[in-house]
Amino acid sequence: MSMITLVTTCLCFLLVSSFPWTNKANVNCLRTIKSQVEDPNGYLSSWNFANETEGSICSLNGVDCWDLKRVMSIQLSGYGLKGEFPLGIKECSDLTGLDLSRNNFSGPLPSNIFSLIPFVTILDLSYNQFSGEIPVSLSNINYLNSLTLSHNQFTGQLPPQLVLLKRLKWFSVADNLLTGPVPNFEESLHIVPENYANNLDLCGGPLDACVDREEDREETIPFGKMSAAIGAAFFAPVGAFLGWFFSNGSKEKQGDIRRRNWF
C-alpha cells in the first residue's frame, strides 16, 4: 500500500468515525438535560433515545439541528419544567440558541455559564425563578445577540463587564431585585427604561443618574454640624437670661423675707 493511499484511508476513517462521536455527545447532552429537570407535564416524554437512527434527535420536542447530528437550538418555553439550570447542556457543543423561558427553574445560574454555552447567540431565561447574582462570565459569550433575564429573582448589581458583548442587540433584566448602576452600553443597543423596569434600585442611563452615597453623607454631616452650632448660638443667650431672671427673683424674695422679719 502506497503512502498516499494509507494517508487517504486514515483521513476517511477519522472523518467517518467522528460523526458518530458527535451524535453521541449530542444524545448524551439531551439525555442528561432530561434527567436533570422535573417535567410535571410530560412534555419531554418524546425524548426517547432508544432510536439510534441518524437524525432521530432532531425530531424531539423543542430540538432543532444543524444537520442530522448536531443540536443547533433547544427551545423549551412554557413546558412547566422545574429544577436548576441543566449543566448537561455543555455536551451540546454546537448550540447557538437556548430558550428556557416561562418555566419554573430556580436557583443561581452557574458561575461558569460561559463554558457551558460558549457559542449561544440567543439566550432567554425570562419568566422563571432564577436567583442570586448574574454571573460575570455571561460577558464572555461573545456571540450573544439577545439576552433576556427578565421576570426572575436576580439580586445584586449588574456586571459592568456586560458592555463587552459587542454583538448584543437586545437586553432586558426587568422585574428582578437588582440594585446599583447599569452597564454603560453603547448607544447602538437602544436600551429604554422598560428594559430595567421594576427592580429595587437601578440607576444610570437611560434611568435616573446614580447618586454617590459618600457625597450625600459628606454633605449631611456639615449641615448637621451647622444646625447644631446655630442651635447652640440661639439657646445659649436664652439660657443665660432665664438663669439671671430666676436668680434675681430668688434674691428679691429673700430680701422681702428679711424686711418682714425686721419689722
Side-chain angles (χ1 to χ4, degrees):
M1 182 181 293
S2 67
M3 181 62 66
I4 295 177
T5 304
L6 179 61
V7 171
T8 303
T9 302
C10 291
L11 287 174
C12 290
F13 174 78
L14 289 173
L15 288 172
V16 171
S17 62
S18 65
F19 284 108
W21 179 87
T22 303
N23 186 50
K24 182 178 180 180
N26 283 263
V27 169
N28 287 338
C29 169
L30 299 176
R31 180 184 285 114
T32 305
I33 290 174
K34 183 179 180 180
S35 68
Q36 289 178 339
V37 303
E38 296 180 45
D39 180 25
N41 299 316
Y43 284 114
L44 301 184
S45 59
S46 68
W47 285 26
N48 186 341
F49 304 103
N51 184 358
E52 298 181 359
T53 59
E54 189 174 63
S56 60
I57 61 173
C58 303
S59 62
L60 302 180
N61 284 342
V63 178
D64 289 325
C65 295
W66 286 105
D67 46 33
L68 296 178
K69 303 182 188 326
R70 299 178 301 157
V71 174
M72 177 177 67
S73 68
I74 298 175
Q75 303 175 48
L76 305 177
S77 179
Y79 279 29
L81 304 176
K82 298 180 180 181
E84 297 186 349
F85 187 90
L87 302 180
I89 206 165
K90 181 177 182 178
E91 292 197 70
C92 289
S93 57
D94 297 300
L95 193 71
T96 61
L98 178 61
D99 184 355
L100 300 180
S101 64
R102 300 183 183 277
N103 284 290
N104 293 305
F105 287 106
S106 59
L109 295 182
S111 60
N112 65 333
I113 191 169
F114 159 69
S115 65
L116 304 179
I117 48 175
F119 303 114
V120 162
T121 61
I122 299 175
L123 179 60
D124 190 347
L125 304 178
S126 61
Y127 290 93
N128 279 286
Q129 299 173 35
F130 287 115
S131 59
E133 296 188 352
I134 295 174
V136 176
S137 68
L138 276 175
S139 61
N140 295 323
I141 308 177
N142 297 323
Y143 298 99
L144 266 178
N145 292 321
S146 177
L147 177 58
T148 310
L149 303 174
S150 53
H151 294 275
N152 279 286
Q153 299 176 18
F154 290 116
T155 57
Q157 296 190 359
L158 283 166
Q161 296 89 340
L162 292 175
V163 298
L164 299 175
L165 298 172
K166 300 300 183 182
R167 300 172 186 259
L168 207 59
K169 302 300 180 186
W170 169 257
F171 176 74
S172 178
V173 289
D175 294 278
N176 278 285
L177 304 171
L178 299 166
T179 59
V182 301
N184 187 24
F185 288 113
E186 296 180 0
E187 293 183 2
S188 58
L189 188 53
H190 300 300
I191 290 185
V192 295
E194 286 73 19
N195 298 96
Y196 297 120
N198 301 321
N199 276 282
L200 286 181
D201 188 20
L202 289 177
C203 60
L207 306 173
D208 293 337
C210 296
V211 177
D212 192 328
R213 306 302 179 189
E214 291 294 332
E215 290 182 1
D216 282 352
R217 284 194 290 271
E218 290 174 1
E219 292 177 0
T220 302
I221 292 172
F223 179 78
K225 290 181 178 178
M226 182 174 66
S227 300
I230 293 173
F234 175 77
F235 287 109
V238 175
F241 171 77
L242 292 175
W244 173 84
F245 177 81
F246 287 113
S247 176
N248 287 345
S250 177
K251 290 179 180 178
E252 291 178 358
K253 288 182 178 179
Q254 291 177 359
D256 291 341
I257 293 171
R258 290 195 189 96
R259 283 193 292 271
R260 284 197 294 270
N261 292 337
W262 177 260
F263 293 107

